[in-house]
Amino acid sequence: MARGCTVEFDEDVVVHELSVVQALLRQIEAVATAHSAVAVRRATVQVGPLSGVDPGLLASAFEAARGSGLTATTELVFESLVVKVHCRECGVDSTVVPNRLLCGRCGGYRTTLLSGDELLLRHVELGT
Amino acid sequence: MCDNCGCNVTAGNAHLLDEAPASGGAIEVLQRLLTANDRQAQHNREHFDQHGVFALNLMSSPGAGKTALLEATIDALRDEFRIAVIEGDLETENDAARIRAHGVPAIQITTGTACHLDAHLLHRALHDLSLAELDLVFIENVGNLVCPASFDLGQHRNVTLLSVTEGDDKPAKYPVIFRTADVVLLSKCDLLPVLDDFEPARAESALRALGRDTPLIRVAARREPAVSGWLTWLRAELSEHRRQRSEYRLAPPAPRPPHAHRQPPAWLSR
């Protein structure tokens, strides 16, 4: 999957980002409804490199799936996150790339993921 | 990660939470986007656990040999365990028919255009199975190395197949799905002598580079089935699962009243 590419969603093309976006829209709408808002100005999401979700496809799916309601003009903002691991052998924390989760000091593979798989709705800014 | 205990705050995003939001009036949510799927998956797991059923989710590229592995597994274990299979495919009942020919029940989920099974689709299939009469349920996910990794179904173990006719660098290309695996099976290993470009050691180091000590087991499911390493792993995991359940069992959940399943979203059907 190319990151940041524009994808047209028609009946024959479904990526799992579309399922994720439908869940995201429901969560945004639930927050807005709970606060009696009539619009949502901005929604900020955290999508880690190891979440299995492509931010570019998520953005395209968001455009395709939002209707004319509360989220019609919502700006979707991504917070970028790094992949960090903790080495269970030598105890050091390192920042690594998504397919090489080895300890930055000893090179060991017995590591625990500290961050990088987040897939979260962080906050919602309501509009009027 | 859950949405209750604060484990959504990770080393990668903690610093962002200390900062004030970009503008006033922001409402902090910090909720997993797949919360609804996760809840449904937990519900599915309760269904399995209520009946002491051990559920495994099989994932791989299309054509890596998931169905052939299940056929060989059923033939080997049919007299030892009561088995059923849930098949996920975009179209056709072909795989379910192959499984039924081996004498065990199979439910086919056709996803239409959707590239993965999710917990809601699986729940509908569970209601077509007599879980009380089963020990093992295999879920054969849609052949795809990307999307199935993101959706918990309520299984107890993830099995990822890597066939030796693919590249041995697949774990480096698809880190998410190989990281979710509890076991990685190198399938079609009987072909290794005629393939000069697949090096099992390279596949293993690509897997280790993901920070995983996941077992890597060679299998060959067709012609002269050689699946004993996989069966040994499976029996060991099942008895470990049963031991943990009997040791740490909390009060069993109250039996749920019979409930109808929701219709899938309209975009799933053609």
Side-chain angles (χ1 to χ4, degrees), chain A residues 7-128:
Chain A
V7 176
E8 298 208 355
F9 294 93
D10 57 37
E11 285 180 3
D12 296 327
V13 181
V14 176
V15 294
H16 67 295
E17 279 78 2
L18 200 50
S19 313
V20 175
V21 151
Q22 285 169 334
L24 169 64
L25 287 169
R26 275 196 293 274
Q27 286 179 12
I28 295 173
E29 283 160 7
V31 172
T33 306
H35 290 80
S36 309
V38 292
V40 177
R41 190 164 61 237
R42 191 174 293 133
T44 305
V45 294
Q46 299 185 333
V47 179
L50 281 173
S51 67
V53 167
D54 183 293
L57 290 173
L58 194 70
S60 306
F62 188 79
E63 292 302 321
R66 66 162 152 207
S68 54
L70 289 165
T71 52
T73 58
T74 303
E75 180 194 0
L76 187 63
V77 178
F78 291 88
E79 279 182 351
S80 56
L81 300 166
V82 294
V83 182
K84 274 189 193 164
V85 295
H86 172 78
C87 180
R88 299 198 293 276
E89 301 289 336
C90 74
V92 165
D93 296 349
S94 340
T95 300
V96 295
V97 295
N99 61 2
R100 206 163 168 78
L101 286 79
L102 304 176
C103 173
R105 187 169 82 176
C106 73
Y109 69 84
R110 292 192 170 80
T111 58
T112 304
L113 189 70
L114 295 176
S115 80
D117 62 349
E118 298 86 348
L119 185 56
L120 303 172
L121 171 59
R122 188 201 162 182
H123 55 67
V124 169
E125 293 168 52
L126 304 176
T128 47

Side-chain angles (χ1 to χ4, degrees), chain B residues 107-177:
Chain B
I107 309 291
Q108 180 79 52
I109 303 175
T110 47
T111 59
T113 54
C115 46
H116 59 276
L117 292 178
D118 66 28
H120 294 91
L121 285 171
L122 191 82
H123 183 241
R124 296 170 61 214
L126 287 186
H127 281 261
D128 295 332
L129 278 180
S130 308
L131 289 176
E133 296 159 17
L134 294 172
D135 301 307
L136 280 174
V137 169
F138 294 102
I139 305 156
E140 184 181 336
N141 217 312
V142 179
N144 179 338
L145 278 180
V146 181
C147 315
S150 298
F151 296 84
D152 184 9
L153 304 177
Q155 74 278 5
H156 299 103
R157 296 291 189 278
N158 279 322
V159 180
T160 303
L161 281 76
L162 169 57
S163 70
V164 300
T165 53
E166 304 172 60
D168 51 23
D169 58 351
K170 279 276 168 82
K173 288 180 173 169
Y174 301 92
V176 178
I177 206 153

Side-chain angles (χ1 to χ4, degrees), chain B residues 17 29 67 83 91 123 132 151 154 173 181 201 208-209 211 216 227 255 264:
Chain B
L17 304 182
V29 184
T67 314
I83 301 172
E91 293 290 355
H123 183 241
F151 296 84
K173 288 180 173 169
R208 298 292 167 251
L216 188 77
V227 292

Side-chain angles (χ1 to χ4, degrees), chain B residues 224-245:
Chain B
E224 293 171 47
V227 292
S228 60
W230 150 245
L231 298 180
T232 303
W233 178 88
L234 181 57
R235 287 191 187 99
E237 292 296 308
L238 175 58
S239 52
E240 174 62 15
H241 176 74
R242 287 178 169 168
R243 188 190 64 77
Q244 282 187 3
R245 272 180 50 78

Side-chain angles (χ1 to χ4, degrees), chain B residues 89-105:
Chain B
D89 276 299
L90 273 67
E91 293 290 355
T92 82
E93 284 257 340
N94 295 352
D95 285 357
R98 275 173 67 181
I99 296 296
R100 287 184 200 120
H102 291 259
V104 306

